[in-house]
Amino acid sequence: MFVGDGLRKRYGRSEALRGVSLEVADGEIVGLLGPNGAGKSTLAKIACGLVRPSAGAARVAGHRAGSPPARAAIGYLAELFRFPGWASAEEVMSLHQRLGGSTGGAAERAELLDLVGLADAARTRVAAMSKGMQQRLGIAQALIGSPRLLLLDEPTSALDPAGRRVVRRLLGEVRSRGVSVLLSSHLLGEVELVCDRVAILVDGEIVERGSPAELHTPRGIEVETGSGRRTYDGAVREDAPRIVAELVAAGESVYEVRVLASTLEDAYLEAVGERPS
Amino acid sequence: MSGRIESIAAARAVVGFALAESVRRRVFAIVVALTLVFLALYGLGVNFAFDEIERRTLIGSELIDERALAGSTLFGLAMFATLFLGAVLAVFLTIGVVRGDAESGLLQPLVVRPLGRGAMLVARWAGAALAAGAYALVVYALSLALTSALGDWSPDHVVLPGLALAFAVVIIAAISVLASVFMASTAQGIAVFMIFGAGLVAGLLGQIGDALDSRTLERLADVASYVLPFEALYQHGLFLLTSEQLGLTGALVQLGPFGGASEAGSGLLAFALAYTAAVIGLGVAAFARADL
Ligand SMILES: Nc1ncnc2c1ncn2[C@@H]1O[C@H](COP(=O)(O)OP(=O)(O)OP(=O)(O)O)[C@@H](O)[C@H]1O
Ligand SMILES: [Mg+2]
């Protein structure tokens, strides 16, 4: 659905992207991680045609990114965006329906506003909405016209825990409809829960990629016994029954067994090198 | 084919939304209120001026047609006010169309929709030009009606000066849209009004050059009227007010009020059209390349 090949972007002297190749397959949710200034937003902007790459090529649904058919296939939520304060949620949605050529009408508006928990705020002016409500409206806006590729740049940065859960459910539903998603976020737990694959971007380059499970590396087994905690470095899940059997045979009482794996956060910090952004 | 219809519908949505914004933010209410204040003051002025002339012509100086002199001077003033108010509205309606809205994050959600950037820019200009141009025509017509009702004087040409004014306002809207591609809102507004002021000053210089018989000043004004054709249109409109006036009155009237009347060459209309197209074309080309 999205194919980026050798993407580079130069802003004056600095290079925001230095040869990024990334694919988002049909119905796949790909998480984009990386420290501030890594180039996540730049990559999303290239995908939706707001920014032109200095080198490399990007295609959306088989069309050059930024071309009208490519733009017709996407839904985009920018990291920093605003809707006009005087307009109501309904009016914003209606404008985007007309711009996107959506024929969904009032039913689509009501459904999407309901999906993001804004059913009661359809007539509320944007100026009277909290930041989180505006972000929900932004997500609803991105879903107008059933896009085939969703580009969400930190969609939950302003949301409360309940709102984040709503977005997680929504992403699950969107995936079940075969929509592809490129999601950038700083919330590793969230990315781990919803993404099929993750790419970690540092200084404009992808330094690590894989499924969340692949990024979890085994770190041994920990056993709580009557004589204290024992650790078995390098042991994996399959070793657990043998270790327990040996301990029991040796007359130890076993209270708890833990298989240790690095979290996505560990993988992330390792890839990023714990460097300050 | 259906894509084309969709684009037109989307462009209309952009224009409709921009106009709805102006209504909702009470831009039009303020403009209407200010216009009424101006028209009331103008009506009073015309009334007093022609009352005075009435009293004096009884004593009788037939050398100068005082009625024509006062009428054209006052109406020239109204033309200037109309141009100014129209320019204010044109700038208001086009403020922040590109850079300003991009910096605040308003533009990005709209631009990623299938409607092209070029079509969107042209739509925004056309909407503003239509509203501000129509406004200039209405104010022109109302001042004309006041002048002929209260002063019993009408210009030699009635329709053309109004159209010239409206076209001048349309050009100012185009310049403002072009400026919005490169400048954020505040800088854009200041720049357009400075260009507007520069045009008026150039017109005045040309008029002074005329009076002093200075070829240099006249040539300077000529160049300025090509660079800023809204000024030439305005001056031509002033000229048309009294183009058929002869003798001493004609000579006096030619000196005119603000910026001075001056007859434009026959190529003015074609040039102004090409100029407007070029300004918008330049804006579209620069916008197409911009990273947002
Ligand atoms: N318009 C611009 N002009 C100049 N430099 C820019 C511009 N936009 C981005 N950059 C630079 O490009 C780099 C990447 O920025 P980008 O916004 O893509 O980072 P990001 O990964 O989204 O960061 P964050 O997590 O803070 O959102 C940064 O160094 C930034 O300063
Ligand atoms: Mg970002």
Side-chain angles (χ1 to χ4, degrees):
Chain A
M1 184 51 55
F2 171 73
V3 182
D5 185 24
L7 290 171
R8 291 177 173 273
K9 180 62 194 179
R10 176 172 280 289
Y11 287 114
R13 284 224 191 131
S14 71
E15 220 172 10
L17 294 180
R18 313 159 186 258
V20 168
S21 298
L22 181 74
E23 268 192 48
V24 183
D26 288 359
E28 189 183 34
I29 301 186
V30 173
L32 208 51
L33 300 174
N36 295 136
K40 303 181 296 296
S41 298
T42 303
L43 185 57
K45 285 179 175 186
I46 286 175
C48 65
L50 286 176
V51 163
R52 299 205 305 182
S54 316
R59 300 184 79 76
V60 172
H63 307 281
R64 187 180 54 80
S67 64
R71 280 183 281 148
I74 60 164
Y76 173 59
L77 175 71
E79 178 179 16
L80 300 171
F81 71 94
R82 243 181 47 186
F83 294 130
W86 58 269
S88 69
E90 272 275 318
E91 285 170 317
V92 169
M93 295 291 282
S94 164
L95 171 68
H96 280 275
Q97 281 182 318
R98 291 202 279 163
L99 285 178
S102 159
T103 50
E108 181 187 38
R109 294 198 291 275
E111 185 205 331
L112 292 178
L113 288 177
D114 188 46
L115 207 60
V116 296
L118 284 182
D120 295 333
R123 291 186 196 297
T124 307
R125 282 181 314 123
V126 171
M129 289 185 181
S130 71
K131 196 161 172 258
M133 287 167 81
Q134 293 185 27
Q135 199 162 40
R136 287 162 191 248
L137 179 58
I139 295 170
Q141 169 273 138
L143 290 168
I144 280 174
S146 309
R148 295 162 63 196
L149 173 67
L150 261 182
L151 301 161
L152 303 176
D153 198 351
E154 300 191 28
T156 58
S157 58
L159 297 189
D160 55 28
R164 287 186 184 154
R165 170 173 275 184
V166 165
V167 171
R168 274 207 298 278
R169 287 221 196 97
L170 191 148
L171 287 175
E173 171 157 349
V174 154
R175 177 191 4 221
S176 71
R177 290 189 202 163
V179 176
S180 313
V181 182
L182 184 62
L183 168 77
S184 89
S185 177
H186 291 295
L187 302 164
L188 303 172
E190 185 172 285
V191 165
E192 192 161 17
L193 281 172
V194 299
C195 292
D196 303 307
R197 281 195 308 122
V198 173
I200 299 176
L201 204 57
V202 177
D203 281 345
E205 284 174 302
I206 294 183
V207 294
E208 186 80 79
R209 61 173 98 212
S211 69
E214 283 164 5
L215 295 178
H216 291 193
T217 46
R219 280 200 333 194
I221 286 181
E222 234 175 43
V223 185
E224 301 283 347
T225 66
S227 59
R229 177 185 301 174
R230 296 168 184 238
T231 47
Y232 298 82
D233 287 338
V236 294
R237 188 169 172 276
E238 285 66 35
D239 298 324
R242 182 184 48 81
I243 290 170
V244 173
E246 280 171 14
L247 284 170
V248 171
E252 277 282 13
S253 7
V254 174
Y255 295 95
E256 196 176 343
V257 180
R258 279 190 299 271
V259 180
L260 300 178
S262 64
T263 59
L264 185 58
E265 183 170 82
D266 296 324
Y268 173 84
L269 289 176
E270 193 164 305
V272 172
E274 300 206 35
R275 73 188 87 185
S277 55
Chain B
M1 185 65 201
S2 86
R4 177 147 213 101
I5 290 168
E6 260 176 30
S7 295
I8 292 170
R12 278 180 48 192
V14 168
V15 174
F17 201 72
L19 291 181
E21 171 164 36
S22 306
V23 171
R24 214 71 72 76
R25 293 175 74 183
R26 306 217 170 77
V27 172
F28 287 129
I30 293 168
V31 166
V32 167
L34 288 179
T35 308
L36 290 179
V37 169
F38 157 70
L39 287 173
L41 287 175
Y42 179 67
L44 271 178
V46 170
N47 200 19
F48 285 137
F50 279 96
D51 269 2
E52 186 70 20
I53 290 167
E54 202 88 342
R55 242 174 286 138
R56 269 198 283 155
T57 20
L58 290 180
I59 307 161
S61 121
E62 298 304 315
L63 207 54
I64 302 171
D65 182 350
E66 287 207 43
R67 191 167 279 282
L69 186 58
S72 59
T73 306
L74 280 166
F75 193 61
L77 179 69
M79 295 254 303
F80 173 75
T82 306
L83 178 69
F84 179 74
L85 291 171
V88 170
L89 187 59
V91 172
F92 244 130
L93 294 177
T94 51
I95 203 82
V97 161
V98 177
R99 268 287 288 278
D101 280 3
E103 285 186 4
S104 66
L106 283 164
L107 187 67
Q108 288 83 349
L110 303 177
V111 173
V112 300
R113 296 288 172 191
L115 180 67
R117 291 187 185 188
M120 183 161 154
L121 199 69
V122 171
R124 285 299 302 267
W125 164 70
L130 222 64
Y135 167 79
L137 276 180
V138 168
V139 179
Y140 172 83
L142 289 175
S143 344
L144 185 69
L146 277 176
T147 317
S148 68
L150 300 173
D152 194 24
W153 176 86
S154 295
D156 297 338
H157 291 268
V158 172
V159 179
L160 286 178
L163 290 178
L165 270 188
F167 195 4
V169 168
V170 166
I171 291 177
I172 291 166
I175 292 173
S176 180
V177 163
L178 175 62
S180 87
V181 178
F182 302 100
M183 283 169 255
S185 304
T186 312
Q188 177 201 353
I190 292 172
V192 176
F193 275 111
M194 287 182 76
I195 289 171
F196 180 65
L200 295 180
V201 169
L204 270 169
L205 284 182
Q207 190 194 350
I208 294 167
D210 214 19
L212 298 179
D213 227 359
S214 155
R215 285 297 306 143
T216 320
L217 280 183
E218 281 179 25
R219 206 165 306 139
L220 196 72
D222 277 352
V223 171
S225 69
Y226 277 108
V227 180
L228 307 166
F230 62 84
E231 170 63 17
L233 281 165
Y234 163 62
Q235 289 195 0
H236 188 64
L238 285 178
F239 166 80
L240 288 174
L241 295 183
T242 56
S243 56
E244 261 115 74
Q245 195 78 48
L246 299 172
L248 189 50
T249 315
L252 280 176
V253 160
Q254 296 297 312
L255 289 173
F258 288 89
S262 107
E263 183 175 19
S266 57
L268 176 60
L269 183 64
F271 177 78
L273 282 172
Y275 177 92
T276 311
V279 166
I280 290 299
L282 205 62
V284 167
F287 186 27
R289 273 162 190 70
D291 285 337
L292 297 171

